[in-house]
Amino acid sequence: MSGTTRTHFGIRCRLPLRDLRLSKRNLIYRTGRGTYLFKDKWLRADRRLWPEHRRRCLLNYDLSMAYFRRLSHEEFEAALQEVLASYPQLRPVADLRDVADVPGVYLMVLDRHCQIYVGKACGKHGIKHRILRHWRNAVPFDRLLSGEPEESILPIDAFRALDTTRIYAAPTEEAGMLERAVADAVPAAFSLNRTRAGDLEGGLSEAIACRRTRSLL
C-alpha cells in the first residue's frame, strides 16, 4: 500500500500494517537480493549452518510467543506501575518529537507481549533517534539468538513500531546509572533487556558475560 502512512508517537510509519508489527514472517531479515544480513564471520562463512540456524531462530520465536501468552497482564501492569512510582522522573511520551536531541533514559512498553525494554540515549543523539533505530534496524541473522532457542530473549530491534504501545522517558545527561537502576527494577519475566543495562566498560565482552536468558519451556 504505497503512499499510505500511520502516525505513531508523532512519527509517520509506512504501511502495510503487517510490516509494522513483529511476526514470524518478518522475524528474519532478507536483503533485496534475498540474502541474510550478518554482523559476525562465524555464520556468514559457512552456508551449511544457515538452515539449522534459521530453524533455531524460528523455534525461539514460537517459544517466546507462547511464553508471552502465559504472562499475566494484571501482574505486568502492577510491575510497570511500581517501576514508574519508584522513578517518577520517567514521564509518558506522546510524541517522540518532544524528545528529539534529548539525552536520557527511555522505557518502551510492549503491552501485547507484557514486555518492557529499558535503554538510554547519550551524546548528540537523543531519545527519539534511539527509539527510531530500534524500530527501523534490521537484526543480523547471526544476532537473533543469544544462547539456545529455549532460553534466548528476543532482541528489541526485532519488534516493530506498532509493538511499542507506551513510552516513558527521563531526560538526563548521566543516563548510565539510572538506566541500570530502572532495568534492574523490572522483573525478569517482563524484561526484554538481553544484558546488564548501564555503562559497560568492558564493551562487548562484558555484555556477553552479563547476558540474560529466560526459560521459555
Side-chain angles (χ1 to χ4, degrees), residues 52-65:
E52 175 61 12
H53 187 70
R54 177 183 174 85
R55 184 195 69 79
R56 287 160 54 85
C57 290
L58 294 176
L59 173 60
N60 175 248
Y61 173 89
D62 288 337
L63 292 173
S64 296
M65 291 300 156

Side-chain angles (χ1 to χ4, degrees), residues 35-215:
T35 59
Y36 296 115
L37 179 67
F38 295 97
K39 183 72 173 181
D40 305 311
K41 294 180 180 179
W42 69 271
L43 186 60
R44 178 174 53 202
D46 192 345
R47 298 177 65 96
R48 295 171 298 178
L49 300 176
W50 296 0
E52 175 61 12
H53 187 70
R54 177 183 174 85
R55 184 195 69 79
R56 287 160 54 85
C57 290
L58 294 176
L59 173 60
N60 175 248
Y61 173 89
D62 288 337
L63 292 173
S64 296
M65 291 300 156
Y67 172 85
F68 297 151
R69 289 192 292 269
R70 294 195 297 269
L71 297 175
S72 164
H73 286 267
E74 290 76 15
E75 292 178 5
F76 170 73
E77 184 63 27
L80 171 61
Q81 293 306 318
E82 184 172 344
V83 170
L84 296 175
S86 298
Y87 298 94
Q89 59 268 57
L90 287 165
R91 306 301 301 167
V93 175
D95 191 325
L96 283 173
R97 293 172 296 182
D98 295 336
V99 288
D101 305 319
V102 175
V105 173
Y106 58 89
L107 192 150
M108 299 167 67
V109 180
L110 290 71
D111 281 290
R112 180 182 179 186
H113 304 304
C114 294
Q115 295 294 289
I116 297 168
Y117 179 81
V118 181
K120 69 176 184 294
C122 301
K124 64 179 181 179
H125 296 305
I127 293 170
K128 172 190 170 184
H129 174 82
R130 287 292 298 135
I131 291 178
L132 291 186
R133 285 189 62 186
H134 290 309
W135 289 352
R136 295 171 179 174
N137 276 2
V139 182
F141 189 37
D142 45 10
R143 294 290 180 92
L144 278 169
L145 286 179
S146 177
E148 297 299 316
E150 298 82 7
E151 65 176 13
S152 179
I153 298 173
L154 281 171
I156 183 61
D157 287 3
F159 293 88
R160 305 301 178 91
L162 296 188
D163 291 313
T164 299
T165 48
R166 286 182 276 178
I167 296 173
Y168 297 86
T172 176
E173 295 286 349
E174 303 294 333
M177 291 183 62
L178 179 60
E179 181 199 25
R180 179 169 296 176
V182 174
D184 287 347
V186 177
F190 303 133
S191 175
L192 274 180
N193 288 75
R194 289 177 124 187
T195 190
R196 189 180 187 189
D199 297 326
L200 301 177
E201 296 180 0
L204 180 59
S205 60
E206 185 178 354
I208 294 173
C210 297
R211 179 173 62 90
R212 294 176 173 177
T213 59
R214 61 175 35 141
S215 175

